[in-house]
């Protein structure tokens, strides 16, 4: 017999970047991890091989029908199991398209909003619906961005998607407050982290993003956080009372 709590995490964008850092922090606790991304990277597979409660689910979060089907199946089956705690971390995101509004096509814009916002809402909806009557510890964490709270020239789609995540969380927080078995929910700006997303921002053509030099300097000055230590800080924060009913948080206030 062991006393380890029986906890399960559903984590999108677990394959690399911040998501892989969060996955490593979860694995270090020995908890169950359902990792979602389009592709299971060797790093994630290696982590999974050493974690008994690991499962990888391939999903393209830009595909609304696929997300509906997977979210329904996944949350339906997880809700039938007995957990002390169950946690959804909507971490996957894309920053593109970068450039002035009006310069990009509808498909690119829709892809950004679907991956960053619609898919996160779809998973949250399935989580809220299937776990409504469960009395265990239930939490949703949206990985948002300072870009959801401050306007950036060239990032209109990304900023709009992250502002949407913040507002969705605030509304759900109001609804859950006072329910017999409420889900705690928060939206978190994770700071600037040394990931592929930052590399792709630095590779933006000069004319499309006036803040390019600032982002190159973050990298050059060593200001980008390590994804593993930032992942640990986020998992730690997830288990505190700061994850309240629709809180809009910035990791900088906790590290
Ligand atoms: N890095 C920063 O400085 C920073 C700052 C503020 C906020 N954030 C936020 O933090 C989160 C993680 O960012 P990151 O920097 O770690 O990004 P990243 O290195 O580009 O990783 C993105 C993750 O999202 C997944 N993903 C992307 N498109 C997907 C799709 N269509 N379907 C399924 N999964 C998809 C990727 O997996 P696959 O490609 O295998 O699908 C990958 O695991 C994002 O929400 C981002 O907006 C990051």
């Amino acid at each position: 017999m062991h006393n380890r709590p029986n906890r399960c995490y559903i984590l999108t964008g677990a394959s690399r970047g911040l998501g892989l850092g969060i996955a490593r922090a979860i694995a270090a606790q020995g908890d169950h991890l359902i990792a979602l991304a389009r592709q299971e990277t060797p790093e994630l597979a290696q982590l999974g091989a050493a974690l008994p409660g690991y499962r990888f689910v391939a999903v393209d979060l830009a595909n609304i029908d696929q997300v509906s089907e997977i979210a329904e199946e996944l949350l339906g089956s997880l809700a039938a199991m007995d957990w002390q705690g169950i946690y959804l971390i909507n971490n996957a995101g894309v920053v593109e398209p970068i450039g002035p509004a009006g310069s990009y096509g509808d498909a690119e814009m829709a892809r950004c909003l679907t991956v960053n916002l619609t898919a996160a809402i779809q998973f949250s909806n399935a989580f809220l619906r299937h776990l409504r009557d469960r009395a265990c510890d239930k939490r949703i964490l949206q990985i948002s961005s300072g870009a959801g709270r401050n306007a950036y020239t060239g990032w209109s789609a990304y900023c709009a998607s992250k502002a949407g995540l913040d507002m969705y969380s605030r509304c759900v927080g109001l609804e859950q407050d006072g329910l017999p078995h409420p889900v705690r929910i928060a939206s978190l700006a994770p700071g600037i982290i040394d990931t592929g997303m930052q590399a792709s921002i630095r590779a933006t053509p000069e004319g499309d993003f006036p803040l390019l030099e600032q982002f190159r300097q973050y990298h050059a000055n060593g200001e980008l956080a390590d994804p593993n230590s930032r992942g640990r800080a986020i998992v730690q924060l997830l288990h505190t009372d700061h994850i309240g009913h629709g809180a809009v948080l910035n990791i900088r206030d906790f590290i």
Side-chain angles (χ1 to χ4, degrees), residues 12-19 36-41 59-62 90-95 111 115-116 143-146 158 162 189-198 201 224:
T12 69
S15 57
R16 54 197 168 84
L18 177 61
L36 296 96
R38 285 169 298 186
Q39 295 214 319
E40 188 186 39
T41 52
V59 59
D60 181 355
L61 298 174
N90 283 308
N91 161 77
V94 289
V95 67
R111 184 176 182 78
V115 172
N116 294 0
I143 301 298
S144 178
S145 170
Y158 182 67
K162 295 298 189 178
I192 45 172
I193 311 134
D194 196 4
T195 66
M197 181 179 284
Q198 283 287 334
I201 293 167
L224 299 178

Side-chain angles (χ1 to χ4, degrees), residues 22-42:
I22 295 172
R24 286 184 170 133
I26 294 166
Q29 300 175 157
D31 291 325
H32 289 254
L33 170 63
I34 317 290
L36 296 96
R38 285 169 298 186
Q39 295 214 319
E40 188 186 39
T41 52

Side-chain angles (χ1 to χ4, degrees), residues 101-126:
S103 69
Y104 37 77
D106 289 351
E108 282 180 282
M109 180 270 301
R111 184 176 182 78
C112 176
L113 288 165
T114 307
V115 172
N116 294 0
L117 180 59
T118 308
I121 292 178
Q122 288 180 279
F123 275 105
S124 302
N125 279 348

